[in-house]
Amino acid sequence: MPITTVDIHSSIIMLAINISSLMLLLALVMCFLRIALGPTLADRVVALDVLNILAVAYCALLAIASGQPVYLDAAIALALVAFLVSVAFARFIEKSGKKL
């Protein structure tokens, strides 16, 4: 059975999805380490924001891998909530008046 270009493209896409998910997992582990070890509150807030961005990226990757566009809706909703959380944390840090 000959290999068609569709098979080659789908295998390349699956390889890219697998590599991307491994890179997202590595970034996720590093974010958890920064949240746990971060010396200041600002470091922890930035790591939490990056964690939210990674979750949005994983939702988008899942949408590509499964072919279901509903995961993109979840990614958009998660990005909106993550933005509000970032703004709330920034206001909290500003109101607390602590030097970081």
Side-chain angles (χ1 to χ4, degrees), residues 86-96:
S86 297
V87 169
F89 273 130
R91 285 187 57 115
F92 172 73
I93 291 173
E94 182 183 15
K95 295 282 183 188
S96 68

Side-chain angles (χ1 to χ4, degrees), residues 7-100:
D7 294 333
I8 293 171
H9 289 296
S10 65
S11 65
I12 290 173
I13 288 174
M14 289 308 295
L15 179 66
I17 288 171
N18 289 336
I19 291 171
S20 300
S21 62
L22 285 175
M23 291 172 62
L24 283 173
L25 181 65
L26 179 65
L28 190 75
V29 167
M30 289 190 291
C31 278
F32 277 124
L33 285 175
R34 178 50 58 194
I35 289 172
L37 302 176
T40 64
L41 181 61
D43 289 333
R44 289 184 172 102
V45 169
V46 169
L48 187 65
D49 193 34
V50 172
L51 189 72
N52 288 327
I53 292 169
L54 291 173
V56 170
Y58 185 74
C59 286
L61 189 66
L62 191 59
I64 293 169
S66 67
Q68 299 291 327
V70 71
Y71 293 116
L72 290 177
D73 295 338
I76 291 170
L78 184 59
L80 290 172
V81 170
F83 172 72
L84 292 176
V85 167
S86 297
V87 169
F89 273 130
R91 285 187 57 115
F92 172 73
I93 291 173
E94 182 183 15
K95 295 282 183 188
S96 68
K98 293 181 183 177
K99 289 193 174 188
L100 302 176

